[in-house]
Amino acid sequence: MGNAPSEAVLLLVEDNRGDIRLLEEAFSDGNVANTLHTVTDGQAALDFIYQRGEYEDAPRPDIVLLDLHLPKVDGEDVLHEIKHHPELSQTPVIVLSGVDEDLIKSRDLDHDADEDGVLEKPVDLGEFVKVIGSFEQFRLGVMRME
């Protein structure tokens, strides 16, 4: 029996229920092989990532999809925490934003988002499925090392 690639563990950090539904549909329609976990605020994201409280048994995410505008702890602070933690700094973080990528890059994100990427949230589901397909090809094609 060979070593089959395992599904990637994705953490979606998004407080907008409509965007959550859109992302879940896009992953489903795009046949992206993954396990998608969703939290709706920055504090829950940090608890999930650090495996604290109700998330003590949560898997370490292979990729984080992060909205910047979050309740409790802002997405920029979550991004900074991940990228400056010795065990988490290599975890890819894709910033999801409803604003233009150039505007995001002009903001002071401590250059944390530059390494991994910024995806503008498409309004059209079909277009978003294309983005997710590209995302799968480049990000999820890598086997997890157990």
Side-chain angles (χ1 to χ4, degrees), residues 45-76:
L46 292 174
D47 290 345
F48 189 101
I49 290 165
Y50 289 122
Q51 300 169 316
R52 300 184 296 219
E54 69 180 278
Y55 302 106
E56 69 181 337
D57 294 324
R60 262 300 151 84
D62 295 305
I63 299 171
V64 177
L65 303 168
L66 177 66
D67 183 27
L68 289 180
H69 304 290
L70 297 168
K72 297 187 181 178
V73 176
D74 189 66
E76 291 181 36

PDB file of all heavy atoms in Angstrom, residues 45-76:
ATOM      1  N   ALA A  45      -9.756  32.196  15.686  1.00  0.00           N
ATOM      2  CA  ALA A  45      -8.688  31.770  14.776  1.00  0.00           C
ATOM      3  C   ALA A  45      -7.412  31.475  15.552  1.00  0.00           C
ATOM      4  O   ALA A  45      -6.768  30.439  15.345  1.00  0.00           O
ATOM      5  CB  ALA A  45      -8.429  32.838  13.716  1.00  0.00           C
ATOM      6  N   LEU A  46      -7.048  32.370  16.454  1.00  0.00           N
ATOM      7  CA  LEU A  46      -5.836  32.158  17.255  1.00  0.00           C
ATOM      8  C   LEU A  46      -5.989  30.944  18.170  1.00  0.00           C
ATOM      9  O   LEU A  46      -5.048  30.158  18.332  1.00  0.00           O
ATOM     10  CB  LEU A  46      -5.502  33.415  18.055  1.00  0.00           C
ATOM     11  CG  LEU A  46      -5.061  34.609  17.216  1.00  0.00           C
ATOM     12  CD1 LEU A  46      -4.904  35.848  18.098  1.00  0.00           C
ATOM     13  CD2 LEU A  46      -3.779  34.314  16.459  1.00  0.00           C
ATOM     14  N   ASP A  47      -7.176  30.783  18.756  1.00  0.00           N
ATOM     15  CA  ASP A  47      -7.408  29.610  19.609  1.00  0.00           C
ATOM     16  C   ASP A  47      -7.302  28.326  18.796  1.00  0.00           C
ATOM     17  O   ASP A  47      -6.729  27.341  19.264  1.00  0.00           O
ATOM     18  CB  ASP A  47      -8.781  29.707  20.279  1.00  0.00           C
ATOM     19  CG  ASP A  47      -8.842  30.791  21.347  1.00  0.00           C
ATOM     20  OD1 ASP A  47      -7.772  31.290  21.775  1.00  0.00           O
ATOM     21  OD2 ASP A  47      -9.967  31.151  21.749  1.00  0.00           O
ATOM     22  N   PHE A  48      -7.836  28.313  17.577  1.00  0.00           N
ATOM     23  CA  PHE A  48      -7.748  27.140  16.707  1.00  0.00           C
ATOM     24  C   PHE A  48      -6.287  26.855  16.360  1.00  0.00           C
ATOM     25  O   PHE A  48      -5.819  25.717  16.502  1.00  0.00           O
ATOM     26  CB  PHE A  48      -8.559  27.385  15.427  1.00  0.00           C
ATOM     27  CG  PHE A  48      -8.707  26.168  14.555  1.00  0.00           C
ATOM     28  CD1 PHE A  48      -9.879  25.434  14.574  1.00  0.00           C
ATOM     29  CD2 PHE A  48      -7.690  25.763  13.700  1.00  0.00           C
ATOM     30  CE1 PHE A  48     -10.026  24.304  13.768  1.00  0.00           C
ATOM     31  CE2 PHE A  48      -7.824  24.644  12.892  1.00  0.00           C
ATOM     32  CZ  PHE A  48      -9.005  23.909  12.933  1.00  0.00           C
ATOM     33  N   ILE A  49      -5.583  27.863  15.936  1.00  0.00           N
ATOM     34  CA  ILE A  49      -4.187  27.694  15.503  1.00  0.00           C
ATOM     35  C   ILE A  49      -3.296  27.231  16.657  1.00  0.00           C
ATOM     36  O   ILE A  49      -2.446  26.362  16.493  1.00  0.00           O
ATOM     37  CB  ILE A  49      -3.661  28.993  14.883  1.00  0.00           C
ATOM     38  CG1 ILE A  49      -4.366  29.224  13.541  1.00  0.00           C
ATOM     39  CG2 ILE A  49      -2.152  28.972  14.716  1.00  0.00           C
ATOM     40  CD1 ILE A  49      -4.206  30.628  12.996  1.00  0.00           C
ATOM     41  N   TYR A  50      -3.527  27.812  17.847  1.00  0.00           N
ATOM     42  CA  TYR A  50      -2.724  27.451  19.014  1.00  0.00           C
ATOM     43  C   TYR A  50      -3.308  26.272  19.787  1.00  0.00           C
ATOM     44  O   TYR A  50      -2.783  25.897  20.831  1.00  0.00           O
ATOM     45  CB  TYR A  50      -2.558  28.652  19.949  1.00  0.00           C
ATOM     46  CG  TYR A  50      -1.648  29.716  19.405  1.00  0.00           C
ATOM     47  CD1 TYR A  50      -2.108  31.017  19.235  1.00  0.00           C
ATOM     48  CD2 TYR A  50      -0.333  29.434  19.061  1.00  0.00           C
ATOM     49  CE1 TYR A  50      -1.271  32.014  18.744  1.00  0.00           C
ATOM     50  CE2 TYR A  50       0.509  30.414  18.567  1.00  0.00           C
ATOM     51  CZ  TYR A  50       0.029  31.699  18.411  1.00  0.00           C
ATOM     52  OH  TYR A  50       0.859  32.679  17.930  1.00  0.00           O
ATOM     53  N   GLN A  51      -4.421  25.712  19.291  1.00  0.00           N
ATOM     54  CA  GLN A  51      -5.068  24.544  19.888  1.00  0.00           C
ATOM     55  C   GLN A  51      -5.404  24.781  21.363  1.00  0.00           C
ATOM     56  O   GLN A  51      -5.050  23.999  22.234  1.00  0.00           O
ATOM     57  CB  GLN A  51      -4.201  23.301  19.684  1.00  0.00           C
ATOM     58  CG  GLN A  51      -3.985  23.010  18.216  1.00  0.00           C
ATOM     59  CD  GLN A  51      -2.930  21.964  17.939  1.00  0.00           C
ATOM     60  OE1 GLN A  51      -1.859  21.976  18.550  1.00  0.00           O
ATOM     61  NE2 GLN A  51      -3.222  21.069  17.014  1.00  0.00           N
ATOM     62  N   ARG A  52      -6.127  25.894  21.593  1.00  0.00           N
ATOM     63  CA  ARG A  52      -6.526  26.278  22.951  1.00  0.00           C
ATOM     64  C   ARG A  52      -8.036  26.140  23.119  1.00  0.00           C
ATOM     65  O   ARG A  52      -8.794  26.256  22.162  1.00  0.00           O
ATOM     66  CB  ARG A  52      -6.159  27.737  23.227  1.00  0.00           C
ATOM     67  CG  ARG A  52      -4.697  28.057  23.125  1.00  0.00           C
ATOM     68  CD  ARG A  52      -4.409  29.484  23.511  1.00  0.00           C
ATOM     69  NE  ARG A  52      -5.030  30.447  22.611  1.00  0.00           N
ATOM     70  CZ  ARG A  52      -4.447  31.571  22.205  1.00  0.00           C
ATOM     71  NH1 ARG A  52      -3.233  31.888  22.631  1.00  0.00           N
ATOM     72  NH2 ARG A  52      -5.066  32.400  21.401  1.00  0.00           N
ATOM     73  N   GLY A  53      -8.459  25.950  24.389  1.00  0.00           N
ATOM     74  CA  GLY A  53      -9.880  25.943  24.722  1.00  0.00           C
ATOM     75  C   GLY A  53     -10.642  24.886  23.948  1.00  0.00           C
ATOM     76  O   GLY A  53     -10.226  23.730  23.879  1.00  0.00           O
ATOM     77  N   GLU A  54     -11.769  25.291  23.346  1.00  0.00           N
ATOM     78  CA  GLU A  54     -12.607  24.333  22.620  1.00  0.00           C
ATOM     79  C   GLU A  54     -11.905  23.741  21.399  1.00  0.00           C
ATOM     80  O   GLU A  54     -12.369  22.760  20.822  1.00  0.00           O
ATOM     81  CB  GLU A  54     -13.931  24.975  22.204  1.00  0.00           C
ATOM     82  CG  GLU A  54     -13.792  26.043  21.134  1.00  0.00           C
ATOM     83  CD  GLU A  54     -15.127  26.647  20.741  1.00  0.00           C
ATOM     84  OE1 GLU A  54     -15.847  26.039  19.917  1.00  0.00           O
ATOM     85  OE2 GLU A  54     -15.443  27.728  21.275  1.00  0.00           O
ATOM     86  N   TYR A  55     -10.785  24.316  21.007  1.00  0.00           N
ATOM     87  CA  TYR A  55     -10.045  23.841  19.830  1.00  0.00           C
ATOM     88  C   TYR A  55      -8.791  23.049  20.194  1.00  0.00           C
ATOM     89  O   TYR A  55      -7.915  22.856  19.362  1.00  0.00           O
ATOM     90  CB  TYR A  55      -9.660  25.024  18.937  1.00  0.00           C
ATOM     91  CG  TYR A  55     -10.853  25.822  18.476  1.00  0.00           C
ATOM     92  CD1 TYR A  55     -11.119  27.068  19.023  1.00  0.00           C
ATOM     93  CD2 TYR A  55     -11.716  25.323  17.509  1.00  0.00           C
ATOM     94  CE1 TYR A  55     -12.220  27.809  18.600  1.00  0.00           C
ATOM     95  CE2 TYR A  55     -12.813  26.050  17.084  1.00  0.00           C
ATOM     96  CZ  TYR A  55     -13.057  27.290  17.636  1.00  0.00           C
ATOM     97  OH  TYR A  55     -14.147  28.005  17.218  1.00  0.00           O
ATOM     98  N   GLU A  56      -8.714  22.554  21.443  1.00  0.00           N
ATOM     99  CA  GLU A  56      -7.495  21.862  21.868  1.00  0.00           C
ATOM    100  C   GLU A  56      -7.198  20.617  21.035  1.00  0.00           C
ATOM    101  O   GLU A  56      -6.048  20.200  20.937  1.00  0.00           O
ATOM    102  CB  GLU A  56      -7.542  21.529  23.352  1.00  0.00           C
ATOM    103  CG  GLU A  56      -8.543  20.473  23.747  1.00  0.00           C
ATOM    104  CD  GLU A  56      -8.543  20.215  25.244  1.00  0.00           C
ATOM    105  OE1 GLU A  56      -7.536  20.502  25.921  1.00  0.00           O
ATOM    106  OE2 GLU A  56      -9.565  19.716  25.734  1.00  0.00           O
ATOM    107  N   ASP A  57      -8.214  20.016  20.420  1.00  0.00           N
ATOM    108  CA  ASP A  57      -8.003  18.839  19.577  1.00  0.00           C
ATOM    109  C   ASP A  57      -8.025  19.176  18.087  1.00  0.00           C
ATOM    110  O   ASP A  57      -8.044  18.274  17.243  1.00  0.00           O
ATOM    111  CB  ASP A  57      -9.075  17.776  19.872  1.00  0.00           C
ATOM    112  CG  ASP A  57      -8.941  17.224  21.289  1.00  0.00           C
ATOM    113  OD1 ASP A  57      -7.792  17.088  21.770  1.00  0.00           O
ATOM    114  OD2 ASP A  57      -9.984  16.935  21.913  1.00  0.00           O
ATOM    115  N   ALA A  58      -8.014  20.453  17.762  1.00  0.00           N
ATOM    116  CA  ALA A  58      -8.061  20.879  16.353  1.00  0.00           C
ATOM    117  C   ALA A  58      -6.754  20.520  15.657  1.00  0.00           C
ATOM    118  O   ALA A  58      -5.673  20.569  16.260  1.00  0.00           O
ATOM    119  CB  ALA A  58      -8.289  22.384  16.256  1.00  0.00           C
ATOM    120  N   PRO A  59      -6.842  20.160  14.381  1.00  0.00           N
ATOM    121  CA  PRO A  59      -5.607  19.892  13.634  1.00  0.00           C
ATOM    122  C   PRO A  59      -4.892  21.197  13.309  1.00  0.00           C
ATOM    123  O   PRO A  59      -5.517  22.253  13.209  1.00  0.00           O
ATOM    124  CB  PRO A  59      -6.127  19.225  12.351  1.00  0.00           C
ATOM    125  CG  PRO A  59      -7.497  19.785  12.177  1.00  0.00           C
ATOM    126  CD  PRO A  59      -8.043  19.994  13.564  1.00  0.00           C
ATOM    127  N   ARG A  60      -3.594  21.142  13.167  1.00  0.00           N
ATOM    128  CA  ARG A  60      -2.835  22.314  12.713  1.00  0.00           C
ATOM    129  C   ARG A  60      -3.190  22.561  11.258  1.00  0.00           C
ATOM    130  O   ARG A  60      -3.107  21.640  10.439  1.00  0.00           O
ATOM    131  CB  ARG A  60      -1.342  22.068  12.788  1.00  0.00           C
ATOM    132  CG  ARG A  60      -0.559  22.564  13.965  1.00  0.00           C
ATOM    133  CD  ARG A  60      -0.587  24.060  14.196  1.00  0.00           C
ATOM    134  NE  ARG A  60      -0.438  24.377  15.590  1.00  0.00           N
ATOM    135  CZ  ARG A  60       0.711  24.482  16.233  1.00  0.00           C
ATOM    136  NH1 ARG A  60       1.829  24.305  15.608  1.00  0.00           N
ATOM    137  NH2 ARG A  60       0.729  24.756  17.498  1.00  0.00           N
ATOM    138  N   PRO A  61      -3.581  23.769  10.913  1.00  0.00           N
ATOM    139  CA  PRO A  61      -3.928  24.026   9.504  1.00  0.00           C
ATOM    140  C   PRO A  61      -2.697  24.032   8.614  1.00  0.00           C
ATOM    141  O   PRO A  61      -1.622  24.482   9.014  1.00  0.00           O
ATOM    142  CB  PRO A  61      -4.596  25.402   9.537  1.00  0.00           C
ATOM    143  CG  PRO A  61      -4.164  26.030  10.814  1.00  0.00           C
ATOM    144  CD  PRO A  61      -3.812  24.926  11.761  1.00  0.00           C
ATOM    145  N   ASP A  62      -2.876  23.495   7.400  1.00  0.00           N
ATOM    146  CA  ASP A  62      -1.824  23.545   6.399  1.00  0.00           C
ATOM    147  C   ASP A  62      -1.844  24.893   5.690  1.00  0.00           C
ATOM    148  O   ASP A  62      -0.807  25.368   5.228  1.00  0.00           O
ATOM    149  CB  ASP A  62      -2.025  22.442   5.356  1.00  0.00           C
ATOM    150  CG  ASP A  62      -1.889  21.064   5.977  1.00  0.00           C
ATOM    151  OD1 ASP A  62      -0.844  20.802   6.598  1.00  0.00           O
ATOM    152  OD2 ASP A  62      -2.833  20.263   5.856  1.00  0.00           O
ATOM    153  N   ILE A  63      -3.034  25.482   5.592  1.00  0.00           N
ATOM    154  CA  ILE A  63      -3.224  26.769   4.923  1.00  0.00           C
ATOM    155  C   ILE A  63      -4.301  27.529   5.679  1.00  0.00           C
ATOM    156  O   ILE A  63      -5.296  26.945   6.116  1.00  0.00           O
ATOM    157  CB  ILE A  63      -3.663  26.580   3.456  1.00  0.00           C
ATOM    158  CG1 ILE A  63      -2.590  25.819   2.684  1.00  0.00           C
ATOM    159  CG2 ILE A  63      -3.960  27.922   2.786  1.00  0.00           C
ATOM    160  CD1 ILE A  63      -3.006  25.398   1.295  1.00  0.00           C
ATOM    161  N   VAL A  64      -4.106  28.841   5.828  1.00  0.00           N
ATOM    162  CA  VAL A  64      -5.107  29.696   6.461  1.00  0.00           C
ATOM    163  C   VAL A  64      -5.629  30.668   5.412  1.00  0.00           C
ATOM    164  O   VAL A  64      -4.843  31.342   4.737  1.00  0.00           O
ATOM    165  CB  VAL A  64      -4.509  30.474   7.662  1.00  0.00           C
ATOM    166  CG1 VAL A  64      -5.550  31.409   8.267  1.00  0.00           C
ATOM    167  CG2 VAL A  64      -3.967  29.511   8.712  1.00  0.00           C
ATOM    168  N   LEU A  65      -6.950  30.715   5.262  1.00  0.00           N
ATOM    169  CA  LEU A  65      -7.629  31.694   4.417  1.00  0.00           C
ATOM    170  C   LEU A  65      -8.180  32.746   5.365  1.00  0.00           C
ATOM    171  O   LEU A  65      -9.050  32.447   6.190  1.00  0.00           O
ATOM    172  CB  LEU A  65      -8.757  31.034   3.626  1.00  0.00           C
ATOM    173  CG  LEU A  65      -8.350  29.862   2.741  1.00  0.00           C
ATOM    174  CD1 LEU A  65      -9.570  29.115   2.240  1.00  0.00           C
ATOM    175  CD2 LEU A  65      -7.522  30.365   1.580  1.00  0.00           C
ATOM    176  N   LEU A  66      -7.679  33.965   5.280  1.00  0.00           N
ATOM    177  CA  LEU A  66      -7.907  34.960   6.321  1.00  0.00           C
ATOM    178  C   LEU A  66      -8.528  36.243   5.793  1.00  0.00           C
ATOM    179  O   LEU A  66      -7.941  36.920   4.944  1.00  0.00           O
ATOM    180  CB  LEU A  66      -6.563  35.283   6.986  1.00  0.00           C
ATOM    181  CG  LEU A  66      -6.528  36.346   8.066  1.00  0.00           C
ATOM    182  CD1 LEU A  66      -7.317  35.892   9.299  1.00  0.00           C
ATOM    183  CD2 LEU A  66      -5.079  36.650   8.447  1.00  0.00           C
ATOM    184  N   ASP A  67      -9.698  36.585   6.320  1.00  0.00           N
ATOM    185  CA  ASP A  67     -10.289  37.896   6.078  1.00  0.00           C
ATOM    186  C   ASP A  67      -9.583  38.880   7.010  1.00  0.00           C
ATOM    187  O   ASP A  67      -9.200  38.525   8.122  1.00  0.00           O
ATOM    188  CB  ASP A  67     -11.789  37.841   6.372  1.00  0.00           C
ATOM    189  CG  ASP A  67     -12.499  39.147   6.070  1.00  0.00           C
ATOM    190  OD1 ASP A  67     -12.029  39.913   5.205  1.00  0.00           O
ATOM    191  OD2 ASP A  67     -13.543  39.414   6.697  1.00  0.00           O
ATOM    192  N   LEU A  68      -9.408  40.104   6.573  1.00  0.00           N
ATOM    193  CA  LEU A  68      -8.724  41.089   7.412  1.00  0.00           C
ATOM    194  C   LEU A  68      -9.635  41.786   8.407  1.00  0.00           C
ATOM    195  O   LEU A  68      -9.202  42.200   9.471  1.00  0.00           O
ATOM    196  CB  LEU A  68      -8.038  42.150   6.540  1.00  0.00           C
ATOM    197  CG  LEU A  68      -6.824  41.682   5.761  1.00  0.00           C
ATOM    198  CD1 LEU A  68      -6.244  42.840   4.949  1.00  0.00           C
ATOM    199  CD2 LEU A  68      -5.768  41.093   6.674  1.00  0.00           C
ATOM    200  N   HIS A  69     -10.902  41.931   8.065  1.00  0.00           N
ATOM    201  CA  HIS A  69     -11.835  42.680   8.912  1.00  0.00           C
ATOM    202  C   HIS A  69     -12.633  41.709   9.762  1.00  0.00           C
ATOM    203  O   HIS A  69     -13.644  41.171   9.329  1.00  0.00           O
ATOM    204  CB  HIS A  69     -12.749  43.544   8.050  1.00  0.00           C
ATOM    205  CG  HIS A  69     -11.989  44.455   7.154  1.00  0.00           C
ATOM    206  ND1 HIS A  69     -11.272  45.535   7.624  1.00  0.00           N
ATOM    207  CD2 HIS A  69     -11.791  44.436   5.820  1.00  0.00           C
ATOM    208  CE1 HIS A  69     -10.679  46.146   6.624  1.00  0.00           C
ATOM    209  NE2 HIS A  69     -10.979  45.497   5.510  1.00  0.00           N
ATOM    210  N   LEU A  70     -12.141  41.481  10.992  1.00  0.00           N
ATOM    211  CA  LEU A  70     -12.728  40.486  11.877  1.00  0.00           C
ATOM    212  C   LEU A  70     -13.087  41.085  13.229  1.00  0.00           C
ATOM    213  O   LEU A  70     -12.412  42.014  13.693  1.00  0.00           O
ATOM    214  CB  LEU A  70     -11.736  39.344  12.116  1.00  0.00           C
ATOM    215  CG  LEU A  70     -11.315  38.521  10.914  1.00  0.00           C
ATOM    216  CD1 LEU A  70     -10.131  37.639  11.269  1.00  0.00           C
ATOM    217  CD2 LEU A  70     -12.483  37.689  10.420  1.00  0.00           C
ATOM    218  N   PRO A  71     -14.114  40.534  13.890  1.00  0.00           N
ATOM    219  CA  PRO A  71     -14.394  40.952  15.256  1.00  0.00           C
ATOM    220  C   PRO A  71     -13.387  40.348  16.240  1.00  0.00           C
ATOM    221  O   PRO A  71     -12.685  39.399  15.918  1.00  0.00           O
ATOM    222  CB  PRO A  71     -15.804  40.409  15.516  1.00  0.00           C
ATOM    223  CG  PRO A  71     -16.039  39.364  14.494  1.00  0.00           C
ATOM    224  CD  PRO A  71     -15.120  39.639  13.347  1.00  0.00           C
ATOM    225  N   LYS A  72     -13.331  40.903  17.419  1.00  0.00           N
ATOM    226  CA  LYS A  72     -12.501  40.489  18.551  1.00  0.00           C
ATOM    227  C   LYS A  72     -11.019  40.748  18.318  1.00  0.00           C
ATOM    228  O   LYS A  72     -10.439  41.589  18.975  1.00  0.00           O
ATOM    229  CB  LYS A  72     -12.770  39.051  18.959  1.00  0.00           C
ATOM    230  CG  LYS A  72     -14.192  38.835  19.444  1.00  0.00           C
ATOM    231  CD  LYS A  72     -14.386  37.467  19.997  1.00  0.00           C
ATOM    232  CE  LYS A  72     -15.835  37.314  20.441  1.00  0.00           C
ATOM    233  NZ  LYS A  72     -16.107  35.994  20.951  1.00  0.00           N
ATOM    234  N   VAL A  73     -10.383  40.025  17.436  1.00  0.00           N
ATOM    235  CA  VAL A  73      -8.979  40.255  17.080  1.00  0.00           C
ATOM    236  C   VAL A  73      -8.945  40.475  15.575  1.00  0.00           C
ATOM    237  O   VAL A  73      -9.442  39.657  14.808  1.00  0.00           O
ATOM    238  CB  VAL A  73      -8.079  39.059  17.472  1.00  0.00           C
ATOM    239  CG1 VAL A  73      -6.650  39.285  17.003  1.00  0.00           C
ATOM    240  CG2 VAL A  73      -8.118  38.821  18.977  1.00  0.00           C
ATOM    241  N   ASP A  74      -8.370  41.586  15.148  1.00  0.00           N
ATOM    242  CA  ASP A  74      -8.324  41.948  13.736  1.00  0.00           C
ATOM    243  C   ASP A  74      -7.485  40.953  12.938  1.00  0.00           C
ATOM    244  O   ASP A  74      -6.529  40.361  13.457  1.00  0.00           O
ATOM    245  CB  ASP A  74      -7.722  43.355  13.609  1.00  0.00           C
ATOM    246  CG  ASP A  74      -7.843  43.897  12.207  1.00  0.00           C
ATOM    247  OD1 ASP A  74      -8.983  44.125  11.759  1.00  0.00           O
ATOM    248  OD2 ASP A  74      -6.799  44.075  11.551  1.00  0.00           O
ATOM    249  N   GLY A  75      -7.837  40.769  11.660  1.00  0.00           N
ATOM    250  CA  GLY A  75      -7.120  39.852  10.792  1.00  0.00           C
ATOM    251  C   GLY A  75      -5.649  40.193  10.638  1.00  0.00           C
ATOM    252  O   GLY A  75      -4.807  39.294  10.498  1.00  0.00           O
ATOM    253  N   GLU A  76      -5.319  41.475  10.657  1.00  0.00           N
ATOM    254  CA  GLU A  76      -3.911  41.866  10.554  1.00  0.00           C
ATOM    255  C   GLU A  76      -3.127  41.354  11.756  1.00  0.00           C
ATOM    256  O   GLU A  76      -1.975  40.920  11.619  1.00  0.00           O
ATOM    257  CB  GLU A  76      -3.787  43.385  10.443  1.00  0.00           C
ATOM    258  CG  GLU A  76      -4.304  43.922   9.130  1.00  0.00           C
ATOM    259  CD  GLU A  76      -4.154  45.430   9.017  1.00  0.00           C
ATOM    260  OE1 GLU A  76      -3.148  45.970   9.517  1.00  0.00           O
ATOM    261  OE2 GLU A  76      -5.044  46.056   8.432  1.00  0.00           O
TER     262      GLU A  76
END
